[in-house]
Amino acid sequence: MSYCRQEGKDRIIFATKEDHETPSSAELVADDPDDPYEEQGLILPNGDINWNCPCLGGMASGPCGEQFKSAFSCFHYSTEEIKGSDCVDQFRAMQECMQKYPDLYPQEDENEEKEKLSKDLETTPVEAAAAKEERGSS
């Protein structure tokens, strides 16, 4: 016998094997064409920031979400001549928060950047052509 009970904000549903043998009769609700967050992109038609935009990659809801929202909002609404120059404190707070969660917000190490740069420089087209000539002449 299946039944349902409420515990605080949670509803617990117990279902029997027989309940699962019959196909579901649930109907999916069609998407609301007037949903202001659907397919709107980062900035909504009214100029507000769409914090649900997948383009933010969950940054607005992670452990540093409030700091991210504060910094991003400051930049978006900044009226300074150098846009965002009045938001340094908010971006610093966001960076400090992100450094507390290196697994979620990996930082590229300066040494890794230098190694990548030196590898890129090692294989410049001029050097590659010179190496090819040397192999051809020997």
Side-chain angles (χ1 to χ4, degrees):
M1 175 176 163
S2 59
Y3 68 96
C4 182
R5 76 173 193 238
Q6 194 80 22
E7 285 189 12
K9 66 175 181 58
D10 302 317
R11 184 169 25 165
I12 302 169
I13 301 171
F14 293 92
T16 63
K17 182 178 179 183
E18 292 79 29
D19 291 331
H20 289 285
E21 289 176 346
T22 58
S24 172
S25 60
E27 293 182 25
L28 296 176
V29 178
D31 289 337
D32 180 3
D34 299 322
D35 183 355
Y37 298 104
E38 190 68 31
E39 300 293 324
Q40 294 293 328
L42 180 59
I43 307 301
L44 297 172
N46 66 0
D48 289 343
I49 299 168
N50 178 5
W51 297 116
N52 296 320
C53 181
C55 61
L56 293 176
M59 291 291 293
S61 61
C64 299
E66 290 307 311
Q67 292 86 344
F68 174 80
K69 286 180 180 181
S70 174
F72 195 86
S73 293
C74 182
F75 182 83
H76 177 66
Y77 295 113
S78 176
T79 56
E80 293 296 311
E81 190 163 323
I82 299 176
K83 188 166 181 80
S85 62
D86 53 334
C87 305
V88 173
D89 292 337
Q90 290 89 335
F91 277 98
R92 184 174 291 125
M94 180 182 76
Q95 184 179 23
E96 287 171 2
C97 179
M98 289 177 170
Q99 288 173 345
K100 294 176 187 173
Y101 302 94
D103 293 341
L104 293 174
Y105 307 105
Q107 306 268 327
E108 198 168 286
D109 190 24
E110 284 184 28
N111 291 332
E112 289 177 21
E113 288 178 20
K114 289 177 185 175
E115 287 176 24
K116 285 181 186 178
L117 182 60
S118 65
K119 285 181 184 176
D120 289 344
L121 292 174
E122 287 174 10
T123 57
T124 60
V126 173
E127 289 177 351
K132 198 175 192 179
E133 276 184 35
E134 285 178 22
R135 277 186 256 132
S137 64
S138 51

